[in-house]
Amino acid sequence: DAGVTQSPTHLIKTRGQQVTLRCSPKSGHDTVSWYQQALGQGPQFIFQYYEEEERQRGNFPDRFSGHQFPNYSSELNVNALLLGDSALYLCASSFTGGSSPLHFGNGTRLTVT
Amino acid sequence: AQRVTQPEKLLSVFKGAPVELKCNYSYSGSPELFWYVQYSRQRLQLLLRHISRESIKGFTADLNKGETSFHLKKPFAQEEDSAMYYCALSGSGGSYIPTFGRGTSLIVHP
């Protein structure tokens, strides 16, 4: 089992551009959560997807959107990139039903110039 | 709102010394607490959770509801314990989104 996989590993974009990050959950998991981790900070919750719908959302603007596919994989889209969006984006999968622990991917390092 | 505070950004100890990484939380309901760890060049992973009441790699953590704390302890630190440690809180009542603290970097010197 490869666990949670994320792509790409690194990405450099220019202000104003749009970006799509991808995540495949651990086998058997049906829930995907996305986190943003700025340098020196803990992961900040962006949103969670279950049954192809956004179930909960953190304090992030509408520029951040997502999608979950029938195979449980997920995408995170960020529009109109700002310099402050530069961060490590973590995907975590879990099994729904109670407070199932999160299994994290290695993350995508996004740099906005 | 739920909140997790890890007051120490860095904790530096010598091998064999006791370790305590502090975590305080704020939550009005019944919380579930976790410790996650990230070793160098590895992904963030679960270390332990309070409902399991188990010891992992010699680490234990007890939930103290009176003091709203969930400190992580180990009696004798090892060099391989050097890592970034994050305390996380999940709320009950359907809100199972973990909120993370900013993390504490533990360095164990030989």
Side-chain angles (χ1 to χ4, degrees):
Chain A
D1 179 15
V4 179
T5 58
Q6 291 187 245
S7 64
T9 54
H10 294 85
L11 206 50
I12 300 175
K13 290 286 188 179
T14 304
R15 259 186 314 178
Q17 285 188 315
Q18 178 264 343
V19 68
T20 298
L21 311 181
R22 295 177 176 82
C23 172
S24 291
K26 180 179 168 67
S27 178
H29 286 180
D30 57 7
T31 301
V32 173
S33 303
W34 286 92
Y35 285 81
Q36 180 194 66
Q37 187 173 23
L39 204 60
Q41 302 296 320
Q44 298 294 311
F45 173 69
I46 303 175
F47 42 54
Q48 184 184 79
Y49 276 85
Y50 170 67
E51 290 190 341
E52 302 180 48
E53 291 192 358
E54 184 183 289
R55 183 157 72 171
Q56 287 206 45
R57 188 179 184 92
N59 189 25
F60 278 80
D62 292 344
R63 298 186 298 108
F64 290 76
S65 64
H67 189 78
Q68 186 179 34
F69 299 93
N71 66 353
Y72 307 119
S73 67
S74 177
E75 289 182 349
L76 163 65
N77 300 292
V78 187
N79 294 322
L81 284 167
L82 304 174
L83 296 179
D85 295 332
S86 295
L88 180 68
Y89 288 85
L90 295 169
C91 171
S93 72
S94 57
F95 178 71
T96 198
S99 52
S100 169
L102 301 176
H103 290 250
F104 283 88
N106 283 320
T108 294
R109 173 71 63 188
L110 172 65
T111 302
V112 182
T113 61
Chain B
Q2 51 196 60
R3 187 177 188 139
V4 175
T5 302
Q6 293 180 252
E8 303 137 331
K9 202 169 183 179
L10 172 66
L11 187 61
S12 181
V13 302
F14 286 98
K15 178 182 173 182
V19 169
E20 182 179 66
L21 291 88
K22 291 183 168 49
C23 172
N24 289 91
Y25 68 89
S26 173
Y27 183 66
S28 57
S30 181
E32 181 162 2
L33 277 298
F34 305 82
W35 277 99
Y36 283 82
V37 61
Q38 186 167 27
Y39 301 102
S40 179
R41 301 184 186 280
Q42 294 187 28
R43 63 188 64 192
L44 195 56
Q45 58 186 291
L46 179 69
L47 178 63
L48 56 80
R49 54 195 300 188
H50 90 271
I51 62 170
S52 300
R53 302 187 67 82
E54 57 190 347
S55 172
I56 304 292
K57 299 185 178 183
F59 284 98
T60 59
D62 291 318
L63 178 59
N64 186 323
K65 290 188 177 181
E67 296 183 357
T68 59
S69 68
F70 187 58
H71 302 328
L72 184 67
K73 300 177 184 178
K74 184 169 183 176
F76 308 103
Q78 302 300 315
E79 290 178 69
E80 55 266 29
D81 296 328
S82 295
M84 197 73 188
Y85 291 81
Y86 295 93
C87 182
L89 159 73
S90 279
S92 60
S95 173
Y96 298 118
I97 308 302
T99 297
F100 286 80
R102 68 171 179 175
T104 297
S105 176
L106 173 65
I107 299 175
V108 182
H109 300 282

